[in-house]
Amino acid sequence: MVQNIVRGSRRIGDAGFSRRLFLGGTAALGGLALSACSGSSGSSSEGQVIWSTWGSPEDLESFDKIQDAFKESHPDIELVFNPTPSYSEYHSKLLTQLSAGTAPDVFYVGDDHVASMLRNNVLLGLGGQLGEQTGGLTADAFNPSLLDVATWQDELYALPNDVNPDTLWYDKEALAAAGIDEDPATLAENDEWTTEAFFEMLAKLKAAELHGASYYNYWATHYSWITSQGGQVYDGDTFVAHQDPIAPKALQDFADRFASGEQVVADLLPEGAGVDSLLVTHKLGFLAAGRYTIGSIRGAGVDEALYDVVRWPTPDGAAAPTGVAASYLAINAKTAAQDGALAFFGDFLDADGQRLRLEDQGNAVPSIEGADDLVTEGGYPEHAQTMLDMRDIGYSNFAVEAAVPDLSTTISVDHMLPLYEGSKDAATTLNEVAELIEKETAK
């Protein structure tokens, strides 16, 4: 479930979990070495498929329908579910199991772990496996840019379960209170949702003593702003943002709005007065967040019609690619039940499987073609199609960076946060990030 992916220190889709609680929490994972284990997985036997993910008891209920459907259609396969409550504990436990040869047959992997994990020869390569063995499921039904982080040496090792692009949720009441009469989504429909228009709205919100916009401090925020402004972050496996003709100035313009008080870093807000609270009390104009924000709005009992979504602004008003948070499903390379694991993998990820998992959940976007109506059929938010459009042109974290444990978190905490706090400029920050990435990826 992408709603429970940790971003920096916040689970995607669990608005009550502070990102700050996790900022240092992945360090231990980077120190766990994986060794290729001889023999098959010790966790299952032929005819039995064990699978795992993370989540609270309430989260895990969303899997009941897909599990029941699989058991009915595959009565010869015993399906065993072994979840872990905590995201941070989940990956450390999984890495230990993989090293010991006792891991589940099929399991979730966060997009901040999949690139490093697949380089340790513990995931089953999917080349030649997708198709008949997965009930017709192939990689062609997914946005190719979301597969990059799960690909190594031209081999695909995992597919996204579901996703959450960070749309800009906006509060119409807050905008009106600031004297803003233009609707961002309407501007976007006409390709008039420009960076200039957005910055003008931020200034008006600040003048009205409201928070203009808020973002969480993780890779998709920094890189989405750069790419939305026409800049380039990576050229293949090489970080180039520091040399790009657009990126440094664009990032500086973005950072200046934090220094001015027009924008706030969500991670730094005090407990009990976080972005969800600001949003539902009409004290925040824009919030970069996923579909799970529907739950925050409805849970607060406010008029949900006051909220809508829009893509990120661009210099010319046209749509541009931005980062997409995702979780992935993978198969243990040492599974003793490969046929059953592939069958479950296919049923879980195909359009029908995603429908069973997400139809009662307003917290994620399907990763596959064929289930898009789950997002749009309820008509909320009004421009819900924006989430699908952003999924289709968006991208995962860059594989070369994501393959180094904690590198994206280090960039966010040690480099981008000082930029947003005004103690560094964008040019210096990007140069330091370039040096760090070159050093860490050369190891």
Side-chain angles (χ1 to χ4, degrees), residues 259-279:
S260 69
E262 296 169 45
Q263 299 191 137
V264 292
V265 178
D267 314 67
L268 302 182
L269 292 172
E271 296 294 336
V275 287
D276 295 310
S277 175
L278 293 177
L279 187 68

Side-chain angles (χ1 to χ4, degrees), residues 131-199:
E132 183 177 352
Q133 296 182 81
T134 53
L137 178 78
T138 69
D140 295 339
F142 301 83
N143 172 2
S145 294
L146 299 183
L147 306 184
D148 290 345
V149 75
T151 302
W152 187 48
Q153 296 181 342
D154 298 324
E155 178 73 272
L156 179 65
Y157 288 88
L159 288 173
N161 311 302
D162 36 63
V163 300
N164 252 321
D166 277 344
T167 54
L168 290 179
W169 286 82
Y170 63 94
D171 180 351
K172 299 176 185 179
E173 182 170 313
L175 298 189
I180 299 168
D181 54 13
E182 291 183 299
D183 179 62
T186 301
L187 292 175
E189 288 178 331
N190 297 317
D191 283 346
E192 296 174 349
W193 180 228
T194 63
T195 307
E196 181 181 6
F198 177 58
F199 282 169

Side-chain angles (χ1 to χ4, degrees), residues 77-93:
I77 298 175
E78 179 187 3
L79 185 65
V80 179
F81 187 25
N82 285 340
T84 298
S86 165
Y87 182 91
S88 55
E89 292 178 3
Y90 173 82
H91 284 93
S92 60
K93 177 181 177 181

Side-chain angles (χ1 to χ4, degrees), residues 37-46 48-50 94 97-98 100-107 122 331-338:
C37 305
S38 60
S40 62
S41 168
S43 62
S44 67
S45 59
E46 187 175 355
Q48 179 190 70
V49 172
I50 299 175
L94 177 61
Q97 291 174 324
L98 287 167
T102 59
D105 302 290
V106 183
F107 44 82
V122 294
I331 298 175
N332 189 341
K334 303 300 181 181
T335 177
Q338 182 169 310

Side-chain angles (χ1 to χ4, degrees), residues 340-380:
L342 285 166
F344 180 66
F345 186 88
D347 282 14
F348 194 91
L349 293 179
D350 67 18
D352 290 339
Q354 295 204 30
R355 189 176 301 281
L356 287 173
R357 290 188 285 116
L358 297 175
E359 61 186 354
D360 297 324
Q361 304 285 323
N363 50 22
V365 175
S367 61
I368 195 172
E369 297 174 352
D372 291 356
D373 58 293
L374 288 172
V375 175
T376 58
E377 64 184 357
Y380 189 76

